[in-house]
Each structure stands twice: as C-alpha cells, then as structure tokens.
Amino acid sequence: MKFVWAFLGAALLSGCYYVYPASSPTLSQCRFANEDGEIVEHLFVENCGWYLFYTIPICCGDTDESHWFPLVFFDDQVTNEIIQRRFAERVKAKGARAVGITMVNRDTVTFDVPGLPFPVVVPYILCAREVQISGTLIRDVGEEKRDE
Amino acid sequence: MNRFFGTLLTALSLAGCVSVSATKELAGIGAEGGAKNALVVEIVASGWYLFDLLPIVTANSKGEAEFFKDNLCAQSNLDVLDEIVKSENVRRIGMISSHETDEGVLVFLVNRHTFRTTATLLKD
C-alpha cells in the first residue's frame, strides 16, 4: 500500500510546465537563414501530465503562470492548442515573429520497474503525455521593443 | 551500504554531462540560401532528478556536473552554441531546434532528463 501511495505521489509531482527563453549576444548578431531582422531569442515551451485510461487528465502542469501552484488536477492542459497559445503570447509580448518552429508530442505507457529486465506496459491505464514547441524569435530592425 | 551510495553518486555525477557534436560532413553540398558550407551542431545536456522534479546532478554549460542545481534549460545549451558560433565565425543560422526527453528509472523515483539543441550554422 505504501508503494502505491509513493507511486501516486511521485506521479503527481511529475506534471510540469516550462518556458525556457534563451538569448545570446553573438547569436543576435547573426542572420536567421534568409530572414531580415535580428534574432531576439530561442524559445522552448513544454508541458507534461498524467492521464488515466489515456483520456482522463489526472495531473498536468499549470500553464497559467499567475497561479502559485504549478499543477492542475483533472484539467487537460497538455494540448497542442494551449502550448501553441502560450508560445504565441510570448512571441507577441516580445514584439517579434517566430521562425523555425518545431513541435514534439510524446506518450509513454511503459515504465521501468527495479528487478525486471523489461519495461512494464500499462496500456491505457496510466499514460504520461508531453507537448513541446521550440522556435526562434526574430524582430525586424527598427521595430519597437515591447518586452513583457 | 556506504559503498553502494558512493558508487551511485559517482555514477550519477558521471552521467550529468554535456556532449557537443559539431560535424562538417555536409560541407560543399550547398545549403539554405546558397551557403556553401553547413555545420550541423547538436548539444546534448543531461542530468538526474528525484521525483522528476528535484535536481540531483545536472551538467552546466561548461560540461561540469553540478549537484542540486538545475542547469538543464535552453539558455545553458545556447551558451555552448554561442561559443561554437564565435569560434567558427558564423554569420548566418539555418535552424535552431530544442527538445527534451525523460527516462524514468526505478518507476518514478529517479528520472534522467536530456535537453537537446540542434542547430545548422551556415558558412559562405
């Protein structure tokens, strides 16, 4: 029984929402392919969560950064729409446009258990899901800076 | 028991590392925007987390393992890329892409995170 509680507790801690902006003075002096304008930053946004029967969200990272608690329960926030919206909000706040956008969606239904030589498959009972998006923000030279 | 934890800590500290692969095999084939040489760079930084949340050991942008500090992020990888851009005197970038992968070990107790950034640097 203790194992089950530890399992559930650890699982609930695992839903996380991250926004990683990254910039560098050297890169901002480079051109991005044939685009005009300066490179503002490279942006990476990720959210992940746990689902029951592949569809019912148990616990996800909270994409609303104004909330103090980083998790939401029974609220599906690991979707392409929500992550793309958060990405777009950041791009707009920077007064930039995004180029070279890539997205990654991943589902995991296999888990390593100590002592077993193979991962345990828990098909459609418990599933970990994550959505990631990354891109490069470019601002036309002379355009007004609108940092958040 | 102490020996076990010593071995575990050593293994974890070795496992939090940064590897940089910068290949020039695409030189001369022509790339985006008429660039003659493309340098494909992949920066892979990894680290171990307790309960998928608390950093045990992660790699910093210098490739050193740091305990209880979360260094895995886009900025850390971009700092490494910045050094390559400087050293190769690159003026144009074809693509930058990042993604993260997680591996659960001991069910959810310990997780290994890997943050990858791939970039195509264009040289005329």
Side-chain angles (χ1 to χ4, degrees):
Chain A
M1 197 59 189
K2 275 181 191 169
F3 172 78
V4 174
W5 283 114
F7 180 87
L8 286 175
L12 291 179
L13 283 170
S14 304
C16 284
Y17 171 64
Y18 299 108
V19 177
Y20 289 143
S23 58
S24 98
T26 310
L27 284 177
S28 66
Q29 289 169 7
C30 294
R31 278 182 67 195
F32 191 93
N34 287 331
E35 299 281 341
D36 291 324
E38 62 167 357
I39 297 174
V40 179
E41 67 181 21
H42 177 58
L43 180 60
F44 175 83
V45 180
E46 176 189 22
N47 198 14
C48 52
W50 289 92
Y51 291 75
L52 190 66
F53 305 125
Y54 208 69
T55 50
I56 303 165
I58 306 169
C59 177
C60 301
D62 188 356
T63 59
D64 189 339
E65 290 176 284
S66 63
H67 296 162
W68 68 272
F69 195 62
L71 306 173
V72 288
F73 298 94
F74 310 112
D75 182 7
D76 189 5
Q77 300 227 350
V78 188
T79 66
N80 287 348
E81 290 78 13
I82 290 174
I83 299 307
Q84 286 177 14
R85 202 179 303 142
R86 295 291 173 263
F87 184 89
E89 283 168 3
R90 170 94 189 174
V91 174
K92 283 177 192 164
K94 284 280 175 185
R97 58 197 158 89
V99 292
I101 297 170
T102 56
M103 278 202 72
V104 174
N105 280 269
R106 190 177 294 115
D107 295 338
T108 309
V109 292
T110 60
F111 304 99
D112 291 326
V113 173
L116 287 180
F118 49 84
V120 173
V121 183
V122 195
Y124 307 111
I125 295 175
L126 196 60
C127 162
R129 187 177 296 161
E130 60 184 313
V131 177
Q132 303 173 3
I133 184 168
S134 79
T136 305
L137 275 55
I138 287 181
R139 189 188 291 136
D140 291 330
V141 179
E143 194 168 315
E144 195 183 335
K145 198 172 181 178
R146 281 178 287 157
D147 284 350
E148 76 275 35
Chain B
M1 201 63 178
N2 284 339
R3 190 180 291 174
F4 169 76
F5 282 112
T7 309
L8 186 69
L9 280 175
T10 308
L12 289 175
S13 62
L14 286 172
C17 65
V18 170
S19 73
V20 179
S21 155
T23 58
K24 296 182 180 177
E25 298 305 315
L26 298 178
I29 63 166
E32 293 167 75
K36 291 195 177 94
N37 294 310
L39 176 67
V40 181
V41 179
E42 188 187 35
I43 298 143
V44 182
S46 60
W48 290 87
Y49 291 74
L50 191 66
F51 299 124
D52 204 21
L53 199 70
L54 308 168
I56 304 169
V57 59
T58 61
N60 63 20
S61 59
K62 292 170 189 161
E64 299 158 347
E66 279 190 79
F67 285 91
F68 312 116
K69 193 175 173 192
D70 194 357
N71 289 307
L72 291 198
C73 61
Q75 185 63 58
S76 184
N77 281 14
L78 216 69
D79 289 343
V80 178
L81 183 64
D82 191 276
E83 290 299 316
I84 297 167
V85 167
K86 268 187 213 163
S87 65
E88 294 287 336
N89 200 23
V90 171
R91 307 298 303 161
R92 217 144 51 96
I93 308 229
M95 178 76 181
I96 308 176
S97 169
S98 295
H99 72 275
E100 190 184 26
T101 51
D102 301 338
E103 291 172 70
V105 183
L106 303 177
V107 193
F108 299 107
L109 189 63
V110 183
N111 275 66
R112 181 175 184 263
H113 290 202
T114 308
F115 200 95
R116 289 181 165 81
T117 300
T118 309
T120 310
L121 310 180
L122 305 174
K123 298 177 79 176
D124 295 324

